[in-house]
Amino acid sequence: MALAFDEFGRPFIILKEQEQKTRLRGLDAQKANISAGKAVARILRTSLGPKGMDKMLQSPDGDVTITNDGATILEQMDVDNQIAKLMVELSRSQDYEIGDGTTGVVVMAGALLEQAEKLLERGIHPTRIAEGYEMASKIAVQHLDHIAQKFDFGVTNIEPLVQTCMTTLSSKIVNRCKRSLAEIAVKAVLAVADLERKDVNLDLIKVEGKVGGKLEDTELIYGIVVDKDMSHPQMPKQIEDAKIAILTCPFEPPKPKTKHKVDIDTVEKFQTLRKQEQQYFDDMVQKCKDVGATLVICQWGFDDEANHLLMHRNLPAVRWVGGVELELIAIATGGRIVPRFQELTPEKLGRAGLVREKSFGTTKDRMLYIEHCANSRAVTIFIRGGNKMMIEETKRSIHDALCVARNLIRNNSIVYGGGSAEISCSVSVEAAADKYPGVEQYAIRAFADSLDFIPMALAENSGLQPIETLSAVKSQQIKENNHYYGIDCNDVGTNDMREQNVFETLIGKQQQILLATQVVKMILKIDDVISPCDY
């Protein structure tokens, strides 16, 4: 395509080799769409499970990300094809709704598309395939309800929640510390959870990271951690029973909005201006002192003179604190964000039992800890690691664990992992196919075969013989009527997932099947790909 101009200077577009371009319709369009979906699923397939591989992603500006989180991989991939973008949206939906299972949902969708392609070649209409898939997904979801177990937990008995979070973290880079990280995630969720309403506000959990130390140094702080320090090195590093003024107004004289010019031609005029500015600072600091504040946290900066005055008047201050952090501090301390000094009152001050500045490592990087707050429902997970990539991957892993713990509080039903739930659903869907007399039964059987792709991928990524391992586990499930047999990815020596303590949330597994089915139905019903040059 090229841009040209006629003799009057009017632009027009030349489409090169237009006669050679063809518009995809009918079966060709469906096969092209399926091929694009399968290509994305094939990329993620090797990242599934505890032995899954990582992907290295390089951004246009040269930043490198190493991860095996499906949502992150697809988010950072440069995808042009519209069907591939649908797969990206699919993973994003799973991440938004559930938080975990972002790789599995794409692999499942790819398996459904692969089976649909075989049915299309046999002459079955896409609509009948889509209807069959819909029926099969309902059977699978109902069967998951049937095999699910309730998990009882409480504030004193958090072990079930920890075990489920450990299953999530098993497939991550941080699996060597999965026990400690799972405990941190569970304690953080329980700290902000409303157990009566069965609701968790994850916005109250702040995940902060700093390079240095080791992964085992990751800690949970019942309060807020801010990547700032006191504005003056001589200010106290620890304040007990702090009364905090949270300000969005700067410590500086007001600036007139009109265009103005001040001519200073004598020393007296300069002294008068300096005294006037100092009086502004004095009044501001005095207002903070009068309401009883022992610490000022300001969204904006202040100059050296204001900083010196704050230190001289024994009023510790922190400057350049971001808006989101300011809101979290206000929630945690029970304070109000004050936009003007005139509105500052004792009732608007936040309260914290301890505010301390802590330095790390040889570089002496300093951070501010605000602990024992008036509202203890705001917590911070502070991650340490050897490099930036490790910290970013740990943040993603912790997010998945937090989401799993939240889902269990919403609905405490679980199913066993290791592909056992998928194998059990596959057997159930296969058996139900005979009850449907129409062409849909082919699609239902294809759905059952697609469910086997997840345990097969788990076996393949663990270095086992995929077909042989799947056949052995499936026959074991059918023979003993035991829904808990799955793939022994970690080579523990038993296929019983109850003994291995590998489980996942019921709503996460159901959402995987439903979302994958919906997206595949959408792709199957596209029979015409129209590009901008076609109209």
Side-chain angles (χ1 to χ4, degrees), residues 4-12:
F5 297 89
D6 63 9
E7 65 270 22
F8 300 107
R10 292 177 299 211
F12 61 90

Side-chain angles (χ1 to χ4, degrees), residues 49-50 100 160-172 178 182 404 415-418 497 500-505:
D100 188 32
L161 289 172
V162 172
Q163 290 290 348
T164 317
C165 289
M166 281 169 67
T167 303
T168 302
L169 295 171
S170 293
S171 61
K172 310 292 182 189
K178 63 181 178 182
V404 165
V415 290
Y416 285 87
M497 293 296 119
Q500 288 202 29
N501 282 328
V502 176
F503 17 80
E504 303 175 56
T505 56

Side-chain angles (χ1 to χ4, degrees), residues 187-188 191 220-224 370-373 376 378-380:
K187 285 174 183 173
L220 174 66
I221 293 128
Y222 290 94
I224 303 295
I370 303 170
E371 297 173 281
H372 312 308
C373 301
S376 61
V379 297
T380 303

Side-chain angles (χ1 to χ4, degrees), residues 211-232:
V211 174
K214 51 185 185 289
L215 199 56
E216 286 83 353
D217 296 336
T218 299
E219 58 182 330
L220 174 66
I221 293 128
Y222 290 94
I224 303 295
V225 175
V226 186
D227 194 3
K228 300 287 172 191
D229 54 358
M230 296 295 181
S231 60
H232 197 288

Side-chain angles (χ1 to χ4, degrees), residues 371-425:
E371 297 173 281
H372 312 308
C373 301
N375 174 15
S376 61
R377 289 189 62 214
V379 297
T380 303
I381 297 172
F382 185 47
I383 297 166
R384 306 306 309 281
N387 55 47
K388 188 183 171 187
M389 277 188 289
M390 192 68 192
I391 284 171
E392 291 303 316
E393 181 64 5
T394 308
K395 280 184 182 179
R396 287 188 284 269
S397 305
I398 287 276
H399 171 261
D400 285 7
L402 291 171
C403 289
V404 165
R406 177 195 64 183
N407 294 339
L408 271 177
I409 286 171
R410 285 179 177 173
N411 180 355
N412 66 337
S413 297
I414 57 108
V415 290
Y416 285 87
S420 61
E422 282 88 353
I423 294 169
S424 184
C425 285

Side-chain angles (χ1 to χ4, degrees), residues 316-504:
V318 183
R319 55 185 166 185
W320 299 119
V321 178
V324 177
E325 289 174 332
L326 217 61
E327 285 176 18
L328 273 171
I329 291 167
I331 291 167
T333 60
R336 298 280 296 277
I337 296 173
V338 180
R340 283 188 291 273
F341 284 99
Q342 291 81 356
E343 295 179 20
L344 197 57
T345 60
E347 297 78 37
K348 292 182 180 178
L349 297 179
R351 282 164 176 76
L354 180 65
V355 177
R356 59 193 173 100
E357 190 185 278
K358 191 174 177 183
S359 59
F360 300 97
T362 52
T363 54
K364 297 295 180 191
D365 287 335
R366 294 188 293 274
M367 294 188 85
L368 203 68
Y369 283 50
I370 303 170
E371 297 173 281
H372 312 308
C373 301
N375 174 15
S376 61
R377 289 189 62 214
V379 297
T380 303
I381 297 172
F382 185 47
I383 297 166
R384 306 306 309 281
N387 55 47
K388 188 183 171 187
M389 277 188 289
M390 192 68 192
I391 284 171
E392 291 303 316
E393 181 64 5
T394 308
K395 280 184 182 179
R396 287 188 284 269
S397 305
I398 287 276
H399 171 261
D400 285 7
L402 291 171
C403 289
V404 165
R406 177 195 64 183
N407 294 339
L408 271 177
I409 286 171
R410 285 179 177 173
N411 180 355
N412 66 337
S413 297
I414 57 108
V415 290
Y416 285 87
S420 61
E422 282 88 353
I423 294 169
S424 184
C425 285
S426 171
V427 173
S428 175
V429 171
E430 184 81 45
D434 297 330
K435 297 173 187 173
Y436 293 87
V439 180
E440 288 84 4
Q441 65 171 281
Y442 289 99
I444 294 170
R445 285 200 183 89
F447 192 96
D449 291 340
S450 303
L451 285 164
D452 287 339
F453 270 64
I454 300 280
M456 207 182 287
L458 286 172
E460 197 174 329
N461 293 343
S462 304
L464 306 169
Q465 290 293 330
I467 297 170
E468 190 182 308
T469 308
L470 175 64
S471 305
V473 172
K474 203 169 191 177
S475 65
Q476 202 174 5
Q477 267 207 25
I478 295 166
K479 190 161 69 175
E480 298 182 26
N481 194 23
N482 186 336
H483 308 291
Y484 312 128
Y485 285 125
I487 307 296
D488 180 17
C489 299
N490 292 320
D491 201 20
V492 175
T494 174
N495 287 326
D496 195 330
M497 293 296 119
R498 284 179 302 181
E499 290 181 29
Q500 288 202 29
N501 282 328
V502 176
F503 17 80
E504 303 175 56

Side-chain angles (χ1 to χ4, degrees), residues 162-296:
V162 172
Q163 290 290 348
T164 317
C165 289
M166 281 169 67
T167 303
T168 302
L169 295 171
S170 293
S171 61
K172 310 292 182 189
I173 254 177
V174 298
N175 60 2
R176 65 187 174 87
C177 298
K178 63 181 178 182
R179 175 83 205 183
S180 59
L181 292 178
E183 284 178 2
I184 286 171
V186 169
K187 285 174 183 173
V189 167
L190 286 174
V192 303
D194 186 342
L195 294 176
E196 286 180 15
R197 288 174 55 223
K198 292 192 171 181
D199 190 33
V200 180
N201 182 4
L202 289 184
D203 292 336
L204 293 173
I205 302 173
K206 185 185 176 201
V207 182
E208 188 72 55
K210 199 154 190 73
V211 174
K214 51 185 185 289
L215 199 56
E216 286 83 353
D217 296 336
T218 299
E219 58 182 330
L220 174 66
I221 293 128
Y222 290 94
I224 303 295
V225 175
V226 186
D227 194 3
K228 300 287 172 191
D229 54 358
M230 296 295 181
S231 60
H232 197 288
Q234 292 178 11
M235 285 178 180
K237 307 298 180 198
Q238 186 165 314
I239 305 161
E240 292 180 4
D241 296 323
K243 292 176 183 175
I244 305 169
I246 306 165
L247 305 175
T248 54
C249 43
F251 272 94
E252 59 182 32
K255 291 183 172 66
K257 290 184 181 177
T258 55
K259 288 184 179 178
H260 59 284
K261 183 182 175 188
V262 178
D263 287 324
I264 299 172
D265 48 13
T266 65
V267 176
E268 289 77 15
K269 284 183 182 178
F270 177 77
Q271 291 287 356
T272 309
L273 181 68
R274 186 175 169 280
K275 277 181 185 173
Q276 187 65 44
E277 282 196 359
Q278 196 167 3
Q279 188 60 45
Y280 270 122
F281 290 140
D282 257 331
D283 291 345
M284 290 170 182
V285 174
Q286 194 56 47
K287 275 172 190 161
C288 294
K289 296 284 280 185
D290 287 345
V291 296
T294 57
L295 174 67
V296 173

